Amino acid sequence: MEFAKRLDNVTGSAIRAIFALIGQPGMISFAGGNPAPESFPSEDIAQIAADLLRKNGSTILQYGGTPGIGSLKNTVLEMAAQRGIRASLDEVIITSGATQGIGLAAKVLCNPDDVILAESPTFLGALQTFYAYEAKVVGVDMDEDGMVVDALEEKIIRHRPKFVYTIPTFQNPSGRTMPMKRRQKLLEVCKRHGVLVLEDDPYCDLRYSGDPVPPIKSLDDNGHVIYLLSFSKIISPGLRVGAAIADKRIIEKYNICKQGEDLHTANLSQEIVNAYMHSGKIEGHIQSICADYRIKRDAMLDKLAEFPKGVRYTRPDGGLFIWVTLPESMNALTLFKQCVDAGVAYVPGTHFYPEGGHENTLRLNFSMASLEQIDKGMDILKSVIEKNLQ
Ligand SMILES: Cc1ncc(COP(=O)(O)O)c(C=O)c1O
């Protein structure tokens, strides 16, 4: 069968193979990036959905408008305002998750072979999406404070990118957060060179320590930043609801392209999210998720503190991931097979790098496993590493 050339660079096979393995019975998985299933407010949502359909079924079950339901757009603006972002209704579109907002950015802005700059390492889903639009992704080095802005400027000059894709808060996969000063500098550099910023911010409410850092978008006074938010990590990823906030000319193009993708995000999902956000329960719900994830993060960090000396790791203030760097001589791909045989899985870090390499890195997720599994799984990981160090 002959597929479109645009899929030539979209493989995903290594990751699919990993996820096939971690589905094995008894496997302790630190590989996924899903919220803990017990965190879903299923009962509340069942009640909300039933009420909505009884009261307003004929509208909800009908086709809707592409930009999204007005009440949810207003809710998004309220959330954005709490994060320091000022925007108007014509600068918002409801998307089917942040995933759609990432894809629409590439669809609206990129021609084949255009360059997108991204943190190195970056979110694998975004990499696959950008490749499907035949864009070239060039990685920008990170340090403990996120994307290095001097390296960014050098790459902007060299590659003339269409936009810079960044996850400045609790980055996937590294868990790192960019401090305010660097956010200012990043925006200043992008503005000076006329390059847009795509800011992906799905984890911002999952903070377990430290003080909140306002999004880059809150510093944007002339439509330079496309901001993506998501309800996946605070309510449910299965509902598929997110939003993009950007200059209204960009939102208009998002609208045109979204129309041909899914016409609109499911009305029922949008209404459920909006009702839950106004149910008086969301604050308590986020607090309870954060309390649970904080305990799990700390449990994983406590275990990592017992690992051999040459093993380095990030200490994220939030999000779902810890990034581990093994001694240079070790290979997380080789280790992965031994770990899976011993009953524990992670994602080898090389897959998150646009240019590959960095085989001594790996990503650990702490939201899905139970505390007992974290305890046992981290002991297995440690012993496999120790064996390979000898
Ligand atoms: C950085 C990043 N962006 C976007 C997404 C996808 O979010 P959504 O469920 O809103 O499409 C994820 C999910 O893992 C993510 O880590």
Side-chain angles (χ1 to χ4, degrees):
M1 217 175 291
E2 195 175 312
F3 292 105
K5 263 185 77 57
R6 81 176 70 91
L7 293 182
D8 283 358
N9 286 328
V10 189
T11 56
S13 52
I15 291 294
R16 264 201 303 278
I18 290 172
F19 282 88
L21 283 172
I22 63 175
Q24 290 171 9
M27 183 71 65
I28 297 174
S29 176
F30 303 137
N34 293 355
E38 61 276 12
S39 76
F40 300 141
S42 308
E43 279 308 315
D44 288 329
I45 287 186
Q47 187 62 52
I48 287 172
D51 290 348
L52 282 166
L53 286 168
R54 277 194 200 103
K55 279 190 208 137
N56 205 10
S58 56
T59 308
I60 290 171
L61 298 177
Q62 188 53 277
Y63 283 119
T66 304
I69 61 170
S71 48
L72 181 58
K73 285 171 64 176
N74 275 310
T75 303
V76 164
L77 286 181
E78 285 160 24
M79 285 170 77
Q82 280 169 13
R83 298 176 188 184
I85 297 168
R86 282 157 285 114
S88 53
L89 270 179
D90 55 6
E91 294 172 310
V92 188
I93 182 170
I94 302 302
T95 56
S96 298
T99 298
Q100 188 173 46
I102 295 170
L104 286 173
K107 196 172 191 174
V108 159
L109 295 167
C110 291
N111 294 311
D113 295 330
D114 277 349
V115 169
I116 297 168
L117 298 182
E119 280 129 6
S120 177
T122 189
F123 171 44
L124 203 78
L127 276 180
Q128 296 290 344
T129 306
F130 295 152
Y131 293 148
Y133 285 103
E134 297 175 86
K136 289 195 169 128
V137 184
V138 175
V140 181
D141 286 345
M142 298 182 85
D143 62 17
E144 289 314 305
D145 289 339
M147 193 185 272
V148 176
V149 178
D150 289 341
L152 171 68
E153 183 158 26
E154 188 227 305
K155 298 237 159 135
I156 288 178
I157 293 166
R158 179 140 38 113
H159 297 284
R160 307 301 320 157
K162 271 296 169 65
F163 59 85
V164 174
Y165 172 66
T166 178
I167 310 154
T169 303
F170 315 137
Q171 200 237 12
N172 179 5
S174 71
R176 295 171 183 137
T177 294
M178 187 184 285
M180 194 54 179
K181 269 223 159 78
R182 191 174 284 191
R183 292 177 191 224
Q184 286 163 340
K185 209 170 147 199
L186 182 148
L187 183 59
E188 187 268 309
V189 163
C190 288
K191 273 168 85 169
R192 186 147 39 81
H193 291 278
V195 178
L196 293 171
V197 177
L198 177 62
E199 181 179 21
D200 187 9
D201 199 15
Y203 299 108
C204 134
D205 289 322
L206 301 185
R207 177 173 280 281
Y208 324 130
S209 50
D211 296 322
V213 188
I216 300 171
K217 181 69 180 165
S218 71
L219 308 167
D220 181 25
D221 50 14
N222 65 348
H224 230 81
V225 181
I226 303 171
Y227 181 74
L228 305 180
L229 61 79
S230 171
F231 294 95
S232 289
K233 305 300 189 302
I234 54 171
I235 302 181
S236 142
L239 291 174
R240 306 305 306 131
V241 184
I245 302 175
D247 183 288
K248 78 178 205 286
R249 290 166 300 175
I250 295 176
I251 295 298
E252 274 164 20
K253 297 290 187 209
Y254 261 57
N255 245 308
I256 293 166
C257 290
K258 179 174 165 72
Q259 208 160 19
E261 286 190 1
D262 59 1
L263 197 55
H264 59 81
T265 298
N267 292 333
L268 183 56
S269 286
Q270 293 189 64
E271 292 282 4
I272 288 171
V273 164
N274 193 50
Y276 192 72
M277 291 300 290
H278 292 286
S279 66
K281 296 194 166 165
I282 186 71
E283 289 81 7
H285 180 63
I286 293 175
Q287 275 169 19
S288 119
I289 305 173
C290 286
D292 181 37
Y293 291 170
R294 181 186 296 119
I295 292 170
K296 290 181 175 181
R297 174 202 64 174
D298 291 346
M300 200 172 254
L301 286 173
D302 285 349
K303 283 286 178 183
L304 279 163
E306 298 165 7
F307 275 45
K309 260 212 172 80
V311 177
R312 289 177 291 128
Y313 50 92
T314 55
R315 290 179 180 75
D317 279 323
L320 304 180
F321 307 107
I322 295 174
W323 184 248
V324 177
T325 306
L326 303 170
E328 288 278 346
S329 61
M330 295 187 83
N331 185 320
L333 290 160
T334 320
L335 221 65
F336 178 75
K337 294 192 185 75
Q338 297 174 36
C339 281
V340 166
D341 287 343
V344 69
Y346 55 78
V347 184
T350 185
H351 301 303
F352 300 98
Y353 285 92
E355 285 93 8
H358 305 265
E359 282 86 359
N360 60 326
T361 59
L362 60 99
R363 188 191 74 176
L364 297 175
N365 161 267
F366 53 80
S367 56
M368 275 290 279
S370 66
L371 282 172
E372 295 70 37
Q373 287 174 322
I374 290 176
D375 197 50
K376 188 168 165 211
M378 292 302 284
D379 280 345
I380 297 173
L381 181 58
K382 180 175 157 225
S383 74
V384 173
I385 290 174
E386 282 171 345
K387 215 164 40 196
N388 281 266
L389 268 176
Q390 278 158 15

